Amino acid sequence: MVSAGNGVGVISWKRNLYAITIAQAIAIIAFSLREPILPFFLKDLGADTTEAATRWNGLVASVGGFTMAFTAPIWGIIGDRHGRKPMLLRSMIAASITIFLMGFATAPWHIVVLRLIEGAFTGTVTASTALVATSAPKERLGYNLGMVQTAVFAGAAFGPAMGGIAAEQIGYRPVFYLASVMMVLATIVVIFFVQEIFTKPLPLPKSDKSRRENWSWMLTGIMISMLTTLFALRFVGQGIRPVMPLYLQDLGDYSNDRAAAVSGWMFAVLGVTSACSAVILGKRGDRVGHRNTLIVCVLGAGLLYFPMALATHPWQLIILQGLFGIAAGGMIPAANAIIANATPPEHRGFTFGLTNTAGSIGAAFGPLVLSSMIAPTFGFPTAFLTVGVLMAILAGWLWWNTGRVTDPGVSPSLAPANSSQGGSD
């Protein structure tokens, strides 16, 4: 047993970690089940042409990100004041309701409205991250956050494949009902297996000077760098993902069905390598520093986009995506660990809500710039080259801008003599 810090009593951090990881994996699978069927479901609802379905699908993807960008910090503040476990339950219960109602939609705008509501009231990843960040011992923070990200990667890898198979067997609408049931199952796991002994924080000092000092950590170079980094990572990741199946189809001259199947395998490979990498590199970051891990992963990811632009066969793209997953798996856990270490425990809910806002804005604008503008105008290779250059610039900027700040990735209390010891309850 360990004392988890401010706002949390003595709890089993391992039990919390495993329960949250399982619940988060189930939740992401539930969210992802609908991904491969949504464009076709929108056609059934009245978006008769491919162009119309594409527009509606893009709108569905964007509105949730925009509403989440505004509401995430608010939920974070509430979590800091009243507990993070209730925020995780709120997000999962809200998702189970909105996904269930999508199965009853009769027009495309119904899906848009429900996705708008979903973005405002959900955010399971942010809630899980905040809860883990406040219950994990500092010297195991990178490993814990890596496990959460592993659940995200694994769910995103296998959810779409499961959704496609389920749709063939039971139809589009039952897939939404199945996803809702899975979200309820994730909620049950959190209710019965996640512990939080929350102590309400003391009121903030009333003087203006005291308030400025209390929030001064938000203006540090490391925090500004991480917010910028998360915006850029989501901008690039979500911006290039929609063109991947089309690029693969172009390389292999595949039919639509064949391209969809091969794309599913490609995303599965990416998800598996990312999931494994997130745990390994998260744990390694606890020992060597999360700043170094982040910079190396960002640079490695950027360099891999250049050969993707030069690919001449689908198998080359699949292999490069698998290698890219190794770098991708280390980026988000490292950034989250740096943020958690640089944030007072009583403000971590708000902070991760704010980082979610930065990421959501990046995820909303990335597809508009990379997939809707650059790729159609200048071709797929140009889009990949653009992303490679952006990632290389980001790595250089991180190296320069965070080098003047003490790396919070390695706990000062973690001596080499006990660095190899496992954590205890």
Side-chain angles (χ1 to χ4, degrees), residues 107 111 118 122 230 237 258 263 304 320-321 354 377 381 384 407:
I111 302 293
E118 185 176 273
T122 59
L230 290 173
R258 179 61 178 166
S263 297
L304 283 167
L320 289 168
Q321 280 289 291
L354 191 62
T377 305
F384 283 88
D407 182 5

Side-chain angles (χ1 to χ4, degrees), residues 316-335:
Q316 296 172 347
L317 191 61
I318 293 172
I319 291 175
L320 289 168
Q321 280 289 291
L323 294 173
F324 171 78
I326 298 174
M331 292 189 291
I332 300 297

Side-chain angles (χ1 to χ4, degrees), residues 4-5 10 25 43 47 79 109 122 173 219 237 239 298 303 317 340 353 363 414:
V10 179
K43 282 188 175 183
W109 69 267
T122 59
R173 293 184 186 274
L219 300 177
V298 170
L303 293 177
L317 191 61
L414 190 60

Side-chain angles (χ1 to χ4, degrees), residues 11-265:
I11 63 173
S12 170
W13 67 266
K14 287 186 177 181
R15 170 175 166 165
N16 263 14
L17 174 63
Y18 299 145
I20 292 172
T21 299
I22 292 170
Q24 189 60 70
I26 296 172
I28 296 299
I29 290 175
F31 277 122
S32 301
L33 283 176
R34 61 192 175 181
E35 185 176 351
I37 69 168
L38 192 54
F40 308 107
F41 186 49
L42 289 168
K43 282 188 175 183
D44 286 352
L45 296 181
D48 298 326
T49 66
T50 300
E51 291 76 13
T54 302
R55 285 195 296 269
W56 278 108
N57 199 29
L59 185 59
V60 170
S62 297
V63 294
F66 280 119
T67 54
M68 187 175 290
F70 287 105
T71 59
I74 298 174
W75 291 122
I77 292 173
I78 295 174
D80 288 336
R81 294 178 179 175
H82 302 286
R84 285 85 183 195
K85 180 177 176 179
M87 294 300 98
L88 181 55
L89 291 174
R90 176 264 309 158
S91 64
M92 289 182 171
I93 292 171
S96 68
I97 295 172
T98 56
I99 294 173
F100 182 75
L101 292 177
M102 285 181 185
F104 293 94
T106 58
W109 69 267
H110 294 169
I111 302 293
V112 173
V113 171
L114 288 169
R115 184 69 182 99
L116 190 77
I117 297 171
E118 185 176 273
F121 287 93
T122 59
T124 62
V125 177
T126 302
S128 294
T129 302
L131 184 51
V132 166
T134 53
S135 63
K138 185 176 182 180
E139 66 273 14
R140 298 289 180 261
L141 191 57
Y143 170 73
N144 277 249
L145 294 174
M147 284 290 289
V148 174
Q149 199 62 37
T150 292
V152 174
F153 285 132
F158 296 108
M162 293 172 59
I165 295 172
E168 287 184 338
Q169 301 297 320
I170 60 179
Y172 294 149
R173 293 184 186 274
V175 170
F176 291 95
Y177 309 144
L178 174 62
S180 179
V181 171
M182 292 185 67
M183 197 64 72
V184 171
L185 177 61
T187 304
I188 293 172
V189 171
V190 174
I191 290 174
F192 289 102
F193 296 100
V194 174
Q195 299 173 308
E196 183 185 31
I197 306 173
F198 183 76
T199 302
K200 193 171 182 178
L202 296 174
L204 297 176
K206 293 184 178 181
S207 69
D208 291 340
K209 181 179 180 182
S210 297
R211 288 182 182 274
R212 285 195 301 270
E213 291 175 351
N214 191 269
W215 289 93
S216 61
W217 53 272
M218 278 300 301
L219 300 177
T220 60
I222 198 74
M223 288 302 300
I224 295 173
S225 296
M226 290 306 101
L227 289 173
T228 305
T229 298
L230 290 173
F231 168 84
L233 293 181
R234 292 294 301 279
F235 178 92
V236 167
Q238 294 300 109
I240 205 68
R241 189 177 177 95
V243 307
M244 292 296 296
L246 298 173
Y247 186 37
L248 189 146
Q249 181 183 39
D250 188 57
L251 292 176
D253 196 23
Y254 293 141
S255 65
N256 290 340
D257 291 342
R258 179 61 178 166
V262 178
S263 297
W265 283 107

